[in-house]
Amino acid sequence: MRALLPLLFTSFVVFAQTPKVQEAPLRAHLAFLADDLLEGRGTGARGGALAVAYLESQLRKLGLKPLQGDSFRQEVLLDGARLRKNQSSLAIASPLGELPLRFDQDAVLSTGQVKAGLTFDAPLVFAGYGIHAPEADWDDYKGLDCRGKILVLMVNDPPPTKEEPSRFNGASMSYYGRWVYKYEEAARQGAAGVLLIHTDSTATYPWSVVLNSFSGERFQAAERRGNPLEGWITDAFARRIFQAAGQDLEALRTRAATREFRPVELGLRLKGNLAIETRRLTEFNVAGLLPGTDPGMKQDAVIYSAHWDHLGLAEPDKAVRGDRIYNGAADNASGCAALLAVAEAAATCPARRSQIFLFVCAEEQGLWGSSSWTKHPLWPLANSVADLNLDSLNILGPTRDAKASGHEHTTLGPLLAELAKQMGLRLLPPEPDLGGGYFRSDHFPFVRAGVPAVSLGSGSDFLGDAASAKEKLKAFYARYHQVKEEYDPSCDLGGMVQDAQFALNVGLALANSRETPRLLSRPITGK
Ligand SMILES: [Zn+2]
């Protein structure tokens, strides 16, 4: 029998002898999943299939239970689309002549309705931020009939003002600022397409990120119905479009930051065709159940999640000294390795509630695996106590702090702070979320579905001297999402073990408690 140690602040309890996450298995899983043999665990690729087979056999080995018959897999149907650039051509027709769109240079384009061929002859309309938010008394559409039209939109959300310092989450990005939302709303309005104007400051990343993320093959859930045309244009190209229309883009941007803004017909048409190489495929989420021990509580489950996919193989022309493999050692071989090590420790000491270890697919493609789980859950959402997500853990060494992104939107704060303290760590307070990171990992579909969810990881207060820690972080971010994001056997996994232990401690505290955390605020997610 293990003694129960009640905590003072709530009725949450933790076992006095919490099982310990071991570094050896964690390191072994990381080395395997980040190996060149897995070719970057691409979606629809052999390396991804290997990762799925590995995760499945590990869950089986740990004695976890499948959630669907005898299968640890959940099918996720995806559509892949790749623009055939040499067979596609688009131009803006204006009274002054034609403005051709040079693929990759001026525009990165795809489709939200995966079809082999798309033809366009459609008027362009500037619709500001493309936000329809009745609860914020904000509507950029003002009753515009969007059918058959291409919307030119700004990314991000209207900045705060002196009178309204907290509109659209103030300095942090709200969901209305995400390009994902812009596409969703435009599709609801029935638009023929969306061209998002890129700027470094509004996107919060440079054009190269748009190019790397969207110019190759992209996948989306087969059940998604987006806009026929979806893509980005550079700021420079946008200026040429507005000039051709005799409009002042800067003046329109200023107007778009007010409620009075009305959509502006640009008097230009987008003409041409896109040829798309398509394929439909089945990917897999992998999930294993550790049943709860208390007959009255085991219908409730704590979910731990980590995405297994990364970017796969780079196009040959993007190879760096012959290396084409996006190993994604941190993103997210680290989260999967930690989750397997957490599962191994948890399995030695089942809790009163059930625990589910969920490895989702296609995160890098738009959170499709986790979205698919929350749309077709293999465990009822009403009985899902919380989702603890692990994404891009720290492979640089132990820190004095712990991070739980999004905890401020839940009642989990006091528990997280107390459990961090018991590990000698400080829980990082919420920081302004300028780039909308909160909406960009697999905890978010859970939040959207009403389940309290956070992404756990380390902070940046590394043990040892601050200057060398800063250097380490800088070097790390230079490799992040590049082919050089590799596993190095000499790397210090002390921070990752710490992250994994923190996740387990939080999971066990929730799984041994009768308390159910809540979301404090449901971020506005459109209708
Ligand atoms: Zn990730």
Side-chain angles (χ1 to χ4, degrees):
M1 273 309 257
R2 288 167 196 270
L4 290 176
L5 183 75
L7 294 178
L8 295 175
F9 57 97
T10 65
S11 64
F12 284 113
V13 290
V14 288
F15 283 104
Q17 293 162 288
T18 305
K20 290 279 164 284
V21 175
Q22 301 300 319
E23 177 171 334
L26 186 149
R27 187 178 282 279
H29 297 309
L30 175 62
F32 181 81
L33 291 167
D35 195 278
D36 275 358
L37 284 170
L38 275 82
E39 296 173 342
R41 306 178 305 285
T43 296
R46 183 180 58 169
L50 280 170
V52 166
Y54 181 75
L55 294 166
E56 186 180 37
S57 74
Q58 292 299 323
L59 294 183
R60 214 178 278 283
K61 183 194 128 198
L62 293 176
L64 300 194
K65 303 276 175 281
L67 282 156
Q68 227 179 184
D70 60 359
S71 173
F72 287 88
R73 301 182 181 207
Q74 178 187 37
E75 292 188 357
V76 178
L77 209 55
L78 298 175
D79 280 336
R82 181 197 296 273
L83 183 64
R84 294 179 197 267
K85 289 167 197 163
N86 53 2
Q87 294 165 33
S88 301
S89 96
L90 278 183
I92 311 274
S94 84
L96 305 175
E98 285 218 327
L99 265 182
L101 273 83
R102 293 166 301 175
F103 299 121
D104 295 348
Q105 231 170 309
D106 300 321
V108 170
L109 302 175
S110 190
T111 176
Q113 295 183 359
V114 178
K115 282 181 203 151
L118 294 159
T119 311
F120 298 94
D121 182 359
L124 294 181
V125 182
F126 176 64
Y129 286 98
I131 294 175
H132 175 67
E135 74 292 341
D137 185 27
W138 192 283
D139 180 18
D140 290 324
Y141 288 93
K142 303 282 195 308
L144 172 75
D145 181 358
C146 294
R147 284 170 299 172
K149 294 177 184 162
I150 307 287
L151 305 176
V152 182
L153 301 177
M154 296 156 69
V155 288
N156 220 308
D157 48 27
T161 62
K162 228 200 250 157
E163 296 72 37
E164 289 185 277
S166 56
R167 76 176 186 186
F168 294 107
N169 286 1
S172 294
M173 191 188 282
S174 74
Y175 187 67
Y176 290 121
R178 290 282 294 145
W179 55 266
V180 183
Y181 164 76
K182 316 282 180 184
Y183 288 163
E184 289 171 353
E185 186 59 42
R188 278 191 287 271
Q189 302 274 350
V194 176
L195 294 174
L196 302 168
I197 305 173
H198 173 270
T199 71
D200 288 3
S201 65
T202 53
T204 73
Y205 38 75
W207 181 251
S208 60
V209 171
V210 175
L211 198 55
N212 284 339
S213 310
F214 304 111
S215 70
E217 186 180 27
R218 288 288 295 178
F219 297 88
Q220 61 182 37
E223 59 191 334
R224 172 170 187 252
R225 285 289 160 267
N227 306 277
L229 176 72
E230 293 182 344
W232 294 73
I233 53 175
T234 62
D235 189 41
F237 191 72
R239 284 171 195 284
R240 293 174 63 200
I241 293 179
F242 282 75
Q243 207 172 28
Q247 295 282 352
D248 179 346
L249 177 55
E250 281 325 306
L252 288 179
R253 277 179 167 142
T254 307
R255 238 199 285 163
T258 68
R259 284 193 171 77
E260 290 67 47
F261 171 82
R262 303 191 71 84
V264 178
E265 307 263 358
L266 295 178
L268 309 173
R269 296 184 81 81
L270 180 81
K271 293 187 175 184
N273 76 291
L274 295 182
I276 312 245
E277 185 185 319
T278 64
R279 60 170 169 149
R280 175 157 288 187
L281 57 98
T282 303
E283 268 302 355
F284 299 97
N285 292 332
V286 182
L289 169 72
L290 180 60
T293 55
D294 187 323
M297 290 168 71
K298 67 182 197 182
Q299 75 280 6
D300 292 333
V302 174
I303 298 174
Y304 306 81
S305 59
H307 72 88
W308 59 254
D309 67 301
H310 191 53
L311 305 174
L313 294 171
E315 305 287 328
D317 63 330
K318 298 238 169 64
V320 179
R321 282 190 220 98
D323 186 358
R324 286 180 60 196
I325 301 169
Y326 288 108
N327 303 76
D331 188 9
N332 189 28
S334 69
C336 292
L339 196 43
L340 285 174
V342 167
E344 184 172 343
T348 65
C349 179
R352 297 165 74 188
R353 280 171 165 164
S354 296
Q355 296 171 78
I356 291 170
F357 299 87
L358 170 63
F359 300 85
V360 293
C361 63
E363 188 266 1
E364 305 283 6
Q365 305 292 328
L367 314 181
W368 299 119
S370 49
S371 299
S372 178
W373 175 277
T374 56
K375 281 205 183 89
H376 314 284
L378 295 183
W379 195 270
L381 292 175
N383 296 101
S384 298
V385 176
D387 170 53
L388 307 173
N389 186 51
L390 300 176
D391 190 356
S392 299
L393 301 185
N394 158 18
I395 54 174
L396 303 176
T399 62
R400 297 182 192 88
D401 46 5
K403 199 167 170 177
S405 302
H407 76 79
E408 67 273 27
H409 302 297
T410 72
T411 55
L412 285 165
L415 174 72
L416 292 163
E418 174 60 27
L419 292 173
K421 200 171 131 203
Q422 288 179 11
M423 293 176 66
L425 304 171
R426 185 177 73 95
L427 181 70
L428 271 180
E431 296 161 337
D433 186 8
L434 305 179
Y438 180 55
F439 311 112
R440 289 157 68 173
S441 189
D442 294 304
H443 62 267
F444 184 61
F446 283 92
V447 170
R448 245 184 141 164
V451 177
V454 290
S455 272
L456 301 175
S458 358
S460 47
D461 184 8
F462 289 92
L463 300 190
D465 76 291
S468 82
K470 250 195 174 153
E471 281 306 302
K472 270 198 236 177
L473 263 188
K474 218 177 113 195
F476 173 74
Y477 280 111
R479 293 196 302 270
Y480 191 65
H481 269 224
Q482 309 293 325
V483 294
K484 286 286 146 224
E485 194 197 308
E486 290 166 332
Y487 168 67
D488 172 352
S490 73
C491 72
D492 180 349
L493 297 186
M496 233 176 100
V497 172
Q498 192 176 293
D499 291 347
Q501 189 68 54
F502 184 49
L504 177 60
N505 292 1
V506 175
L508 285 180
L510 291 170
N512 282 311
S513 164
R514 286 188 178 276
E515 296 239 336
T516 298
R518 283 178 301 110
L519 278 171
L520 288 172
S521 56
R522 259 320 246 288
I524 302 152
T525 55
K527 285 284 137 335

